[in-house]
mmCIF file of all heavy atoms in Angstrom:
data_model
loop_
_atom_site.group_PDB
_atom_site.id
_atom_site.type_symbol
_atom_site.label_atom_id
_atom_site.label_comp_id
_atom_site.label_asym_id
_atom_site.label_seq_id
_atom_site.Cartn_x
_atom_site.Cartn_y
_atom_site.Cartn_z
ATOM 1 N N VAL F 77 -7.322 6.251 -8.588
ATOM 2 C CA VAL F 77 -5.981 6.578 -8.044
ATOM 3 C C VAL F 77 -4.841 6.032 -9.006
ATOM 4 O O VAL F 77 -5.036 5.026 -9.538
ATOM 5 C CB VAL F 77 -5.746 5.847 -6.632
ATOM 6 C CG1 VAL F 77 -4.459 6.060 -6.047
ATOM 7 C CG2 VAL F 77 -6.869 6.370 -5.691
ATOM 8 N N PHE F 79 -0.905 5.200 -9.193
ATOM 9 C CA PHE F 79 0.264 4.864 -8.405
ATOM 10 C C PHE F 79 1.593 4.964 -9.203
ATOM 11 O O PHE F 79 1.699 4.553 -10.298
ATOM 12 C CB PHE F 79 0.174 3.445 -7.828
ATOM 13 C CG PHE F 79 -0.923 3.255 -6.823
ATOM 14 C CD1 PHE F 79 -2.105 2.502 -7.065
ATOM 15 C CD2 PHE F 79 -0.769 3.644 -5.581
ATOM 16 C CE1 PHE F 79 -2.981 2.314 -6.296
ATOM 17 C CE2 PHE F 79 -1.654 3.384 -4.610
ATOM 18 C CZ PHE F 79 -2.996 2.819 -4.994
ATOM 19 N N ASN F 84 9.910 2.378 -6.022
ATOM 20 C CA ASN F 84 9.641 1.241 -5.145
ATOM 21 C C ASN F 84 10.639 0.163 -5.296
ATOM 22 O O ASN F 84 11.478 0.166 -6.094
ATOM 23 C CB ASN F 84 8.200 0.712 -5.542
ATOM 24 C CG ASN F 84 7.490 -0.019 -4.358
ATOM 25 O OD1 ASN F 84 8.022 0.013 -3.273
ATOM 26 N ND2 ASN F 84 6.440 -0.690 -4.823
ATOM 27 N N PRO F 102 -4.698 -0.354 5.418
ATOM 28 C CA PRO F 102 -5.179 0.855 4.686
ATOM 29 C C PRO F 102 -6.721 0.693 4.381
ATOM 30 O O PRO F 102 -7.324 -0.414 4.566
ATOM 31 C CB PRO F 102 -4.398 0.721 3.246
ATOM 32 C CG PRO F 102 -3.387 -0.137 3.678
ATOM 33 C CD PRO F 102 -3.712 -1.095 4.684
ATOM 34 N N GLU F 202 -4.189 11.889 3.192
ATOM 35 C CA GLU F 202 -3.908 10.783 4.077
ATOM 36 C C GLU F 202 -4.273 9.506 3.652
ATOM 37 O O GLU F 202 -3.609 8.456 3.837
ATOM 38 C CB GLU F 202 -4.406 11.197 5.453
ATOM 39 C CG GLU F 202 -4.046 10.171 6.530
ATOM 40 C CD GLU F 202 -4.475 10.546 7.990
ATOM 41 O OE1 GLU F 202 -5.240 11.420 8.119
ATOM 42 O OE2 GLU F 202 -4.037 9.803 8.887
ATOM 43 N N MET F 203 -5.522 9.350 3.123
ATOM 44 C CA MET F 203 -5.954 8.021 2.548
ATOM 45 C C MET F 203 -5.128 7.633 1.348
ATOM 46 O O MET F 203 -4.833 6.434 1.309
ATOM 47 C CB MET F 203 -7.416 8.134 2.161
ATOM 48 C CG MET F 203 -8.414 8.354 3.312
ATOM 49 S SD MET F 203 -10.090 8.579 2.806
ATOM 50 C CE MET F 203 -10.468 6.866 2.086
ATOM 51 N N LEU F 204 -4.673 8.504 0.477
ATOM 52 C CA LEU F 204 -3.790 8.262 -0.463
ATOM 53 C C LEU F 204 -2.494 7.666 0.016
ATOM 54 O O LEU F 204 -2.050 6.705 -0.452
ATOM 55 C CB LEU F 204 -3.467 9.446 -1.448
ATOM 56 C CG LEU F 204 -4.652 9.921 -2.347
ATOM 57 C CD1 LEU F 204 -4.220 11.171 -3.009
ATOM 58 C CD2 LEU F 204 -4.903 8.843 -3.387
ATOM 59 N N ALA F 205 -2.035 8.281 1.092
ATOM 60 C CA ALA F 205 -0.647 7.803 1.778
ATOM 61 C C ALA F 205 -0.964 6.334 2.133
ATOM 62 O O ALA F 205 -0.054 5.451 2.087
ATOM 63 C CB ALA F 205 -0.377 8.733 2.924
ATOM 64 N N GLN F 206 -2.155 6.067 2.768
ATOM 65 C CA GLN F 206 -2.379 4.673 3.159
ATOM 66 C C GLN F 206 -2.523 3.835 2.099
ATOM 67 O O GLN F 206 -2.048 2.555 2.280
ATOM 68 C CB GLN F 206 -3.657 4.762 4.103
ATOM 69 C CG GLN F 206 -3.558 5.674 5.447
ATOM 70 C CD GLN F 206 -4.912 5.736 6.079
ATOM 71 O OE1 GLN F 206 -5.850 5.299 5.635
ATOM 72 N NE2 GLN F 206 -4.904 6.367 7.339
ATOM 73 N N LEU F 207 -3.114 4.089 0.972
ATOM 74 C CA LEU F 207 -3.171 3.196 -0.086
ATOM 75 C C LEU F 207 -1.745 2.994 -0.704
ATOM 76 O O LEU F 207 -1.466 1.896 -1.141
ATOM 77 C CB LEU F 207 -3.985 3.901 -1.221
ATOM 78 C CG LEU F 207 -5.594 3.979 -0.844
ATOM 79 C CD1 LEU F 207 -6.267 4.781 -1.874
ATOM 80 C CD2 LEU F 207 -6.194 2.518 -0.698
ATOM 81 N N ALA F 208 -0.964 4.030 -0.615
ATOM 82 C CA ALA F 208 0.443 3.879 -1.097
ATOM 83 C C ALA F 208 1.231 2.845 -0.261
ATOM 84 O O ALA F 208 2.057 2.155 -0.707
ATOM 85 C CB ALA F 208 1.149 5.186 -1.226
ATOM 86 N N TYR F 209 0.944 2.900 1.030
ATOM 87 C CA TYR F 209 1.492 2.029 1.959
ATOM 88 C C TYR F 209 1.348 0.484 1.533
ATOM 89 O O TYR F 209 2.259 -0.165 1.678
ATOM 90 C CB TYR F 209 0.795 2.265 3.382
ATOM 91 C CG TYR F 209 1.451 1.531 4.662
ATOM 92 C CD1 TYR F 209 2.079 2.178 5.602
ATOM 93 C CD2 TYR F 209 1.287 0.103 4.715
ATOM 94 C CE1 TYR F 209 2.695 1.475 6.718
ATOM 95 C CE2 TYR F 209 1.917 -0.536 5.688
ATOM 96 C CZ TYR F 209 2.453 0.114 6.743
ATOM 97 O OH TYR F 209 3.003 -0.601 7.855
ATOM 98 N N ALA F 210 0.231 0.250 1.110
ATOM 99 C CA ALA F 210 -0.187 -1.140 0.681
ATOM 100 C C ALA F 210 0.639 -1.475 -0.581
ATOM 101 O O ALA F 210 0.778 -2.703 -0.869
ATOM 102 C CB ALA F 210 -1.524 -1.344 0.480
ATOM 103 N N GLU F 211 1.117 -0.607 -1.250
ATOM 104 C CA GLU F 211 1.842 -0.857 -2.550
ATOM 105 C C GLU F 211 3.303 -0.938 -2.312
ATOM 106 O O GLU F 211 4.143 -1.246 -3.212
ATOM 107 C CB GLU F 211 1.659 0.328 -3.469
ATOM 108 C CG GLU F 211 0.135 0.460 -3.899
ATOM 109 C CD GLU F 211 -0.356 -0.839 -4.630
ATOM 110 O OE1 GLU F 211 0.356 -1.356 -5.508
ATOM 111 O OE2 GLU F 211 -1.510 -1.248 -4.266
ATOM 112 N N ILE F 212 3.846 -0.464 -1.107
ATOM 113 C CA ILE F 212 5.276 -0.526 -0.817
ATOM 114 C C ILE F 212 5.802 -1.970 -0.933
ATOM 115 O O ILE F 212 5.236 -2.924 -0.403
ATOM 116 C CB ILE F 212 5.579 -0.043 0.634
ATOM 117 C CG1 ILE F 212 5.403 1.528 0.654
ATOM 118 C CG2 ILE F 212 7.050 -0.351 1.081
ATOM 119 C CD1 ILE F 212 6.381 2.371 0.045
ATOM 120 N N ARG F 213 7.096 -2.095 -1.595
ATOM 121 C CA ARG F 213 7.574 -3.440 -1.692
ATOM 122 C C ARG F 213 9.066 -3.198 -1.262
ATOM 123 O O ARG F 213 9.848 -2.299 -1.734
ATOM 124 C CB ARG F 213 7.617 -3.916 -3.162
ATOM 125 C CG ARG F 213 6.108 -4.212 -3.665
ATOM 126 C CD ARG F 213 5.559 -5.319 -2.878
ATOM 127 N NE ARG F 213 4.186 -5.611 -3.293
ATOM 128 C CZ ARG F 213 3.061 -5.134 -2.922
ATOM 129 N NH1 ARG F 213 3.085 -4.253 -1.825
ATOM 130 N NH2 ARG F 213 1.873 -5.435 -3.327
ATOM 131 N N SER F 246 9.759 4.246 -1.975
ATOM 132 C CA SER F 246 8.640 5.048 -1.850
ATOM 133 C C SER F 246 7.684 4.780 -3.038
ATOM 134 O O SER F 246 8.053 4.442 -4.090
ATOM 135 C CB SER F 246 8.941 6.561 -1.733
ATOM 136 O OG SER F 246 9.485 6.979 -3.086
ATOM 137 N N VAL F 247 6.310 5.182 -2.711
ATOM 138 C CA VAL F 247 5.273 5.011 -3.774
ATOM 139 C C VAL F 247 4.515 6.270 -3.579
ATOM 140 O O VAL F 247 4.149 6.691 -2.491
ATOM 141 C CB VAL F 247 4.369 3.857 -3.439
ATOM 142 C CG1 VAL F 247 3.257 3.840 -4.398
ATOM 143 C CG2 VAL F 247 5.172 2.517 -3.721
ATOM 144 N N THR F 248 4.064 6.915 -4.811
ATOM 145 C CA THR F 248 3.227 8.061 -4.726
ATOM 146 C C THR F 248 1.932 7.669 -5.262
ATOM 147 O O THR F 248 1.822 7.013 -6.243
ATOM 148 C CB THR F 248 3.926 9.244 -5.690
ATOM 149 O OG1 THR F 248 5.139 9.605 -5.092
ATOM 150 C CG2 THR F 248 3.008 10.451 -5.673
ATOM 151 N N ALA F 249 0.862 8.036 -4.505
ATOM 152 C CA ALA F 249 -0.460 7.850 -5.012
ATOM 153 C C ALA F 249 -1.134 9.237 -5.208
ATOM 154 O O ALA F 249 -0.898 10.172 -4.400
ATOM 155 C CB ALA F 249 -1.356 7.124 -3.953
ATOM 156 N N ALA F 258 0.025 11.985 -2.503
ATOM 157 C CA ALA F 258 0.808 11.669 -1.222
ATOM 158 C C ALA F 258 1.784 10.641 -1.651
ATOM 159 O O ALA F 258 1.615 9.735 -2.452
ATOM 160 C CB ALA F 258 -0.258 11.116 -0.122
ATOM 161 N N THR F 259 3.041 10.858 -0.974
ATOM 162 C CA THR F 259 4.057 10.071 -1.122
ATOM 163 C C THR F 259 4.471 9.253 0.121
ATOM 164 O O THR F 259 4.687 9.901 1.206
ATOM 165 C CB THR F 259 5.403 10.662 -1.710
ATOM 166 O OG1 THR F 259 5.143 11.407 -2.942
ATOM 167 C CG2 THR F 259 6.591 9.736 -1.804
ATOM 168 N N THR F 260 4.464 7.943 0.087
ATOM 169 C CA THR F 260 4.756 7.156 1.329
ATOM 170 C C THR F 260 6.110 6.498 1.145
ATOM 171 O O THR F 260 6.476 5.928 0.079
ATOM 172 C CB THR F 260 3.682 6.123 1.466
ATOM 173 O OG1 THR F 260 2.333 6.679 1.703
ATOM 174 C CG2 THR F 260 3.962 5.190 2.707
ATOM 175 N N LEU F 343 3.223 6.787 9.595
ATOM 176 C CA LEU F 343 2.252 5.686 9.583
ATOM 177 C C LEU F 343 2.915 4.521 10.364
ATOM 178 O O LEU F 343 4.130 4.572 10.724
ATOM 179 C CB LEU F 343 2.148 5.191 8.138
ATOM 180 C CG LEU F 343 1.291 6.219 7.200
ATOM 181 C CD1 LEU F 343 1.476 5.897 5.682
ATOM 182 C CD2 LEU F 343 -0.184 6.281 7.643
#
Side-chain angles (χ1 to χ4, degrees):
V77 178
F79 293 104
N84 205 7
E202 183 173 7
M203 291 175 67
L204 287 172
Q206 294 172 353
L207 292 172
Y209 185 113
E211 300 296 317
I212 290 287
R213 296 293 181 268
S246 65
V247 173
T248 297
T259 297
T260 298
L343 288 169

